Amino acid sequence: KDWDKIVYTLNTFNVGMTCFLLGRFPHAFFYWHCPKAVLLTGLRWYLFKGERKHYLLYDFCYWANGLSLFYIFVMPSSGAWFQVFFLTANGPLAWS
């Protein structure tokens, strides 16, 4: 029962902090997003692997997070990759 309270508190802090950082420091938001995406995806893979559900990581939203990391670290000045990432994030993911 206490674990639920801890997870709820951390998730509430995460949503609040994400909104604050995106609004206050949009140019530095990737400092918050990238470590969190890598950590949470790795944790999800570890937990899913133990339950034999790791194939769920082929879902489109995980690929979109990987695409965001690829764009940020490999092709940050590419206009074409920005369009691909923008359409991925604001197209199918926005409607799901």
Side-chain angles (χ1 to χ4, degrees):
K1 187 159 173 116
D2 289 335
W3 182 249
D4 291 341
K5 292 178 184 178
I6 292 169
V7 170
Y8 176 78
T9 302
L10 289 175
N11 284 330
T12 303
F13 173 76
N14 178 35
V15 169
M17 190 60 129
T18 299
C19 292
F20 171 74
L21 291 174
L22 191 56
R24 181 72 173 100
F25 306 106
H27 58 280
F29 179 71
F30 70 96
Y31 289 120
W32 174 256
H33 171 71
C34 293
K36 194 170 65 166
V38 171
L39 176 73
L40 293 177
T41 304
L43 179 65
R44 179 65 56 106
W45 179 83
Y46 176 76
L47 293 175
F48 277 8
K49 185 74 173 164
E51 297 175 5
R52 299 171 107 48
K53 296 181 187 178
H54 54 283
Y55 292 111
L56 292 174
L57 292 174
Y58 286 125
D59 192 31
F60 187 69
C61 62
Y62 295 107
W63 286 96
N65 274 317
L67 182 62
S68 73
L69 296 174
F70 176 80
Y71 170 71
I72 290 170
F73 291 113
V74 179
M75 300 278 204
S77 60
S78 172
W81 274 106
F82 175 77
Q83 288 179 346
V84 169
F85 175 61
F86 183 83
L87 291 173
T88 301
N90 292 304
L93 288 180
W95 288 98
S96 64

